Amino acid sequence: MSQFDNIQKVLDDFKNKVISEAKNNLKSKGKLNNSLRGFVKESRNSIQLTFEMESYGAFVDRGVKGDKSSNKGNRQTESPYKFGTNSSLIGKAKGGMSGIMTKWVKQKGFQWRDKETGRFMSYKSMGYLIARSIYSKGLKPTLFFTKPFEKHFKNLPQELIEKYGLDIEKLFDQITKENFNK
């Protein structure tokens, strides 16, 4: 019997609850949902808790500041992430955010009408407009992972938190930096 058996059981339970609730919080049951997993690993003198998911999971969870979303009242203002340069908006057929949005609009099969002419807009134009809007306004945080993590962290035994010096802010930042960027 290991010195960490009870701790491992508590952390496994914590991990399972966080992952289960985070998966339920995701609206889409696609690639991000399938990639979400956690591990509790015991070593000789330590025990490690790790969460992993697709790299874009951190952006979905914590949101991304847009070019103009730093105004007060926007939820993205607390996000550590911000869109980079305007180059991703250039309408390259295969590259950049505009290209991705063009592909997405085409896949969904919808088109807007031009207000002046009444004709349907091209997929490329729609992709550009959507990409420009996202770049400008940012992405709203979903907190699909943060909320269950914080909720279940509060339920961990106080003795465990005190004994191992667990600090939710430091722990969450460490998990985000190390594991969401894989």
Side-chain angles (χ1 to χ4, degrees):
M1 186 163 146
S2 164
Q3 64 177 346
F4 296 116
D5 281 348
N6 290 335
I7 297 170
Q8 179 145 3
K9 184 178 180 192
V10 169
L11 291 178
D12 270 327
D13 187 47
F14 167 73
K15 169 201 65 153
N16 292 336
K17 287 177 181 176
V18 170
I19 288 179
S20 176
E21 202 168 310
K23 284 183 175 186
N24 287 336
N25 289 344
L26 284 169
K27 291 179 181 167
S28 138
K29 302 296 180 200
K31 190 175 180 183
L32 180 57
N33 188 300
N34 293 336
S35 73
L36 185 57
R37 56 189 172 271
F39 306 95
V40 177
K41 182 180 175 185
E42 181 183 337
S43 299
R44 186 172 180 186
N45 294 319
S46 67
I47 193 161
Q48 179 182 7
L49 171 64
T50 308
F51 290 95
E52 293 180 353
M53 70 176 77
E54 288 290 328
S55 60
Y56 65 91
F59 306 126
V60 173
D61 183 62
R62 304 204 47 203
V64 180
K65 293 178 196 172
D67 192 31
K68 296 180 175 59
S69 69
S70 61
N71 302 332
K72 288 184 179 179
N74 288 326
R75 293 181 207 144
Q76 298 91 324
T77 56
E78 295 177 19
S79 174
Y81 309 111
K82 183 173 182 350
F83 280 112
T85 65
N86 207 353
S87 63
S88 63
L89 288 177
I90 299 171
K92 298 176 185 171
K94 294 181 183 175
M97 193 178 353
S98 182
I100 292 167
M101 291 297 114
T102 299
K103 184 178 174 183
W104 179 78
V105 169
K106 201 173 203 178
Q107 185 180 25
K108 296 295 179 185
F110 65 87
Q111 286 182 295
W112 298 323
R113 290 187 183 264
D114 185 302
K115 288 181 181 180
E116 294 175 14
T117 65
R119 295 188 304 203
F120 286 109
M121 296 175 73
S122 70
Y123 291 126
K124 190 173 181 179
S125 294
M126 289 177 54
Y128 177 81
L129 290 173
I130 292 170
R132 186 178 69 184
S133 176
I134 291 171
Y135 180 84
S136 176
K137 296 175 184 173
L139 297 173
K140 181 177 146 183
T142 64
L143 304 176
F144 77 93
F145 181 83
T146 300
K147 284 184 178 182
F149 182 91
E150 290 175 347
K151 172 184 166 186
H152 294 292
F153 186 87
K154 290 176 185 174
N155 295 331
L156 285 175
Q158 192 61 36
E159 180 184 1
L160 178 70
I161 294 169
E162 289 171 4
K163 185 171 183 177
Y164 292 95
L166 299 177
D167 178 346
I168 190 166
E169 301 248 341
K170 288 179 184 174
L171 184 61
F172 187 75
D173 285 344
Q174 181 182 358
I175 288 169
T176 302
K177 287 176 189 168
E178 292 177 3
N179 301 305
F180 288 175
N181 296 321
K182 291 187 177 187

